Amino acid sequence: MGATSGATVSASIAATVGVPAGPAAAIQGAPATFLPGRSIGNRYVIVRLLGAGGMGAVYQAFDQELGVAIALKIIRQPGGTNDQSATEAQERRFKRELLLSRRVTHKNVVRIYDLGEVDGTLYITMPFVAGKNLSTLLAHEGKLPVDRALQIARQVAAGLAAAHDAGVVHRDLKPANIMIEDEGDRALIMDFGIARSATMSPLATRTEAIVGTLEYMAPEQAEGKEVDHRCDQYAFGLVLYDLLTGGRPVTTSAMADLIARMQKPIPPLRSIDPGLPEPLAQIVDRCLQRDPAARYATTTQLVDVLNTLDARGRELPSARPRRSIPLLVANGMAIVILAAAAIVWGIRGRGAKAPPPPHESVSVLIADFENRANDPVFDGSIEQALTIGVEGASFITTYPRTQARQLAAQLISGGKLDDKAALLISVRDGVKFVVAGSIEGGAGGYQIAARLIDPAVGKTIKTTTTRARDKADVLQAVGSLAADIRRDMGDTTSESARIAASETFTTASLEAVREYTIAQDLQNSSKDEEAIPHFKKAIELDPQFGRAYSGWAVCSFQLGRNEQAEELWKKALSLMDRMTERERYRTLGTYYLAIARNYDKAIETYVSLLEKYPADRSAHNNLAIAYFNKLNFAKALEEGRKALDIYKGSAKFRNNYLLFAMYASDFETAGKGARVLIGEDAKFADAYFPLAISLLDRNDRAGARTTYEEMAGTGASGASRGAMGLADLAMYEGRHADATRILSESVGNDERSGNTLGQSSKSIALAEAYEALGSHKEAVDAVRRALRVSHLEPVATAGARIFALNGRLADAKALATELTADLQPQTRAYAGIIAGEIALQEDRVNDAIAAFRTAAGLRDVWLAHFDLGIAYVRSGHYAEALSELETCKKRRGEAVAIFLDDIPSFRYLATLPYWLARAQEGLGMKGPSAENFKSYLSIRADAANDPLAADARRRLAKI
């Protein structure tokens, strides 16, 4: 059973009806006056005890004046009856509850009637509610159906909104403080005992320290910061989360769970139950954002959003999403991004229409058309244009032709993707339709015919033909043909057909389409270098071919040529007005994801794309990558699985899924899947990385070394990344001289090939290796070489660390200032880490701790926790250090490529056992500290002149 009530920092008793309890005399501070049958102040008669705890009790009583049942609540005096200051504080709290709750007049908020005192015991009276609190309801019934949970949630949110509008913040919302009436299921919020006015001075509650219930406490509340209505929204999100899931399991303690939530968000709702409706899950996830600014601006807004849902938690047909388009300026590209914002307006504003009714996803495989015209320009270009055309319907997804041809080569002699091969593949993989056809020429132009086939029975459903007067008209004719095919597959949206017919493809050159098709096939097979000449040729044939520019940009980015990729994206974005709606979404989403690295905008764009085209496999894949970059691994895995469900054979999508698992520290899944991919294609370089890391996690360093060597033999890109892996492994083991040799040779190869990503990452690694060897000048020179290539976070952050270690604080501060100016929170987080490193070098440990905590608040990166743990050890705060370092151990998957860029950095995990041992040693944990010191020494067994190893041996000898 999940946590629904429990550890409370300040007194809070709710009226729990129908729960048996012991006699009132068992409650400290409760006089005999409160036994059943006794009168209170000649007005109230005690009927029975409703609920009791160590802090007080609630009784059912009868109000003789009004002739109604009421609930009467007392709280014992803390510290005994002679504790005058505590008694006065309690009286003030009772009065505050009375005054604040009386401000709120709402059917879903329990009002306080009266405040009184008898025999030195304070009491308050309130309406008697025949029912049970939500905590009891959850204990008895477990997970609630969506409709009932939503019915309760709407009432609670409405009550909260009324309180917030009256300037009252509850600060202790939880299931135990929400009553559910037996008749009508009405929800009522109770116990404003620790509430405070939104206008109250912060000094007014300073003596109360942190108040609230740990299981439902907002992060800012736990940190002792000033809170407002958004802390209640957070608690509301947790309550609704528990209603929909049955409760969150308690791991070790309420405090440990609170700390875990402060460090990393709890798993999104749909990662626990994928069957929950997405709109409802999005509301809960927004309420549970760690940053209060990311929650709802007002609770009335939260109520409004809840009211856009039907009883099942799905968006009502009339509900229209309200989105704003922020003004973005990032990486010196203000003009380009402003233009992109204008394009988004064009997508959402012009010709906006209500979404079509949901349609079951339909898959189709387009076979090779027979080229009876005997003109090579038609080979592949007809199929490519037809693919774009049929995907004009949101529910249609095409089976990847690259994958189909590979399967055809395995299944059929000759390997041609004709109609017979397409039918065989479709039956094998459950594809619903096959399209086969031909093009032939004559004196009157060209005739194009297409057959829609049901592969289950091998029967042609319909044959459609169209004519083109000449080559220039062929693509337009294919667009018309695609519209007919879509209609035959169930597309009833006439507007969709009209748009697709006029905007089937973004070029009128068949030759350009053919080159683009070849390039795309190579790109989909991870042959980026080979694809580029064909993208170039397509652009030569049509300089306005926007998709060709974006395809080339992606290849350049994959090869580490970031500056070239950025220039190509500028051109692609400038040509978006020539693209179809789907192409525009895809292009803009990829730009936000890969170039601007604005992951929030990328998520927004891909979610919008999937609202219109839910079967878009690339959108699911890229949305997964965007969530991954937000450290939301649960959502990344969810979207990655959706992409695989549509595109089962994609090696890239499958490898992405394995990388998500690896970063989430599921090394077993990553390793097993990688072996399968390598078994299918030994030249697929990407799969060697998760395999090597899975071996390292098992301490199979020899196996990892072999894996990186095999990776280096897969081609140019694999050679660069394999060398980085081998150098990273050498540094992990403390063989820094070997690392400098490997890196010095490989960085030269990257420079010659134009691989800027390889150059910068290896130069930084080289600087770290030189620094470990005591070659300080060489280390600084290597950083400067890296900065000549790139100033992105991996280079700036690691470079600033080297500068700080060498006393070049002005250089380090300049890099921090540069990162601080960026709009993206992940970039500013790394600026905070640099500030912390500088403070450590200046022996300002407390300032360093504050900087690292700020960085973790901006983005919950692994490096911030690691540096914070070390800072806590240095300051003698060993309990705090142990908490941070254990988090690093649990989340070690994020450290294997510390900037989440697939560049190996397993070396950062090498010293983790040493610092864990130091924290444990400081707490007197002799056994665990000894084991961790030994673990570190086993990693660095071959290290020369390692000061941490020498210190570990000295400390180990004293244990």
Side-chain angles (χ1 to χ4, degrees), residues 905-918:
S905 66
F906 203 82
R907 59 190 181 274
Y908 280 81
L909 287 168
T911 62
L912 179 58
Y914 169 83
W915 292 109
L916 274 168
R918 287 287 306 276

Side-chain angles (χ1 to χ4, degrees), residues 365-370 386 417-420 422 434-438 449-453 462-464 485:
L365 172 55
I366 298 175
D368 290 341
F369 272 44
E370 293 182 65
L386 196 59
L417 187 59
D418 57 17
D419 54 353
K420 292 181 181 178
V434 166
V435 174
S438 62
R451 292 178 292 123
L452 185 64
I453 307 170
K462 188 172 182 181
T463 300
T464 305
I485 293 171

